Amino acid sequence: MQDIVFTESKNLNEEPFTTSEIIAEYAEIKHHAVQQLINKHSDRLKKFGIIAFEMRKLIGRGRPKKIYHLNEQQSSLLITFLENTEKVADFKTNLVSQFYEMKQELLKRQIIRESGKEVRLSMTDAIKATGEAKPYDYSNFTRLAYKSAVGYSPTELKKARNIPKNDVIADYLTADELKAVEQREQQIATLINLGMKFKAIQEVLNNQGVIYQTTLEIKERAENGATTSSVS
């Protein structure tokens, strides 16, 4: 089955959701019927959070389509109001499974992210302890850690993933990417403490190769609109 649970972005602090459109498709009922159910039971649904929505413009039509975003509790409650057909029962099973898997992945990333904060601090402390640190040293070592860990600089990652300027890039990395960056930052801290300079550390890491070569979705402009391609 295709993905039926999503997050607004790749930020590890996002709350997973499904949509009224997904519920309609897999329960095999009209989307309008799902919208009516949401409106009818809105007070109950609001007990589990704000009922979010997006207005999706339809090609060739004037009026945008309203798509509701429902979190795990809201969607679970809404489904209880549907007729329990075989299709609905299958959808319930898959929805519960995907919400669980999504939450486990986010939790895994959050745990690695927290441990990575200590490693990050050990690197910046090592830079500072040299007594010769310049402001650009921190950004240079950070760029080196990312390039040698996942194959891309923080700037390239932010651009490819549309990460807001003031957001912390580590909050948007996958578990594998977080582990790779953490490993490199720990290694850099150790090499600095051994008295090695930037160029020597760069050479060591470059010789070792990238730990986890990530793949980015790069948006490219085409004559008939935007297209997406994968690069690694």
Side-chain angles (χ1 to χ4, degrees):
M1 175 179 279
Q2 71 178 60
D3 292 338
I4 56 177
V5 176
F6 318 92
T7 53
E8 290 287 355
S9 72
K10 297 297 183 181
N11 190 305
L12 55 77
N13 298 306
E14 293 279 4
E15 182 178 30
F17 68 90
T18 192
T19 70
S20 53
E21 192 173 48
I22 287 291
I23 293 173
E25 178 182 352
Y26 285 93
E28 295 189 345
I29 59 178
K30 297 290 186 181
H31 185 243
H32 181 63
V34 176
Q35 291 174 313
Q36 286 182 316
L37 271 178
I38 291 172
N39 291 328
K40 179 180 179 180
H41 300 286
S42 61
D43 288 341
R44 292 186 175 92
L45 295 171
K46 286 177 182 176
K47 292 180 180 179
F48 300 101
I50 296 171
I51 304 176
F53 65 89
E54 62 173 295
M55 299 303 294
R56 187 178 302 167
K57 189 173 182 179
L58 302 178
I59 298 176
R61 296 186 180 182
R63 190 173 182 179
K65 185 178 182 181
K66 190 172 188 177
I67 309 293
Y68 287 99
H69 292 190
L70 303 174
N71 62 31
E72 182 177 15
Q73 293 89 347
Q74 289 170 335
S75 57
S76 297
L77 176 60
L78 186 69
I79 290 175
T80 65
F81 302 131
L82 300 178
E83 182 183 351
N84 200 32
T85 64
E86 192 68 22
K87 290 291 185 181
V88 170
D90 288 342
F91 174 61
K92 287 180 182 179
T93 302
N94 289 318
L95 188 66
V96 169
S97 177
Q98 285 203 22
F99 265 116
Y100 177 78
E101 291 170 1
M102 177 74 77
K103 288 193 300 181
Q104 289 299 107
E105 172 63 19
L106 291 173
L107 179 60
K108 181 181 178 181
R109 289 170 61 196
Q110 289 164 357
I111 292 172
I112 299 172
R113 173 78 176 96
E114 285 304 309
S115 68
K117 289 179 181 180
E118 291 298 319
V119 174
R120 170 72 181 176
L121 185 60
S122 71
M123 186 182 80
T124 56
D125 283 348
I127 296 170
K128 184 178 180 181
T130 63
E132 305 172 352
K134 304 293 190 298
Y136 56 78
D137 287 335
Y138 297 93
S139 60
N140 284 346
F141 275 111
T142 296
R143 190 180 304 109
L144 175 60
Y146 274 79
K147 287 283 284 187
S148 61
V150 299
Y152 292 95
S153 69
T155 300
E156 290 170 323
L157 287 165
K158 276 200 166 188
K159 182 178 180 180
R161 295 179 179 174
N162 296 316
I163 300 174
K165 182 179 179 180
N166 296 323
D167 280 14
V168 179
I169 190 171
D171 288 344
Y172 292 81
L173 300 183
T174 66
D176 288 330
E177 290 166 349
L178 284 167
K179 287 180 181 178
V181 172
E182 181 179 329
Q183 182 177 330
R184 279 299 189 232
E185 290 182 338
Q186 182 64 69
Q187 190 173 5
I188 289 171
T190 299
L191 295 175
I192 291 174
N193 288 330
L194 289 174
M196 294 181 67
K197 303 298 183 181
F198 179 84
K199 288 294 185 182
I201 294 174
Q202 184 179 44
E203 185 175 348
V204 169
L205 300 187
N206 287 343
N207 287 336
Q208 292 179 1
V210 174
I211 295 175
Y212 176 80
Q213 179 63 65
T214 195
T215 299
L216 299 185
E217 295 294 325
I218 305 295
K219 291 184 177 179
E220 299 175 346
R221 283 287 173 187
E223 289 184 4
N224 296 325
T227 60
T228 301
S229 62
S230 297
V231 299
S232 61

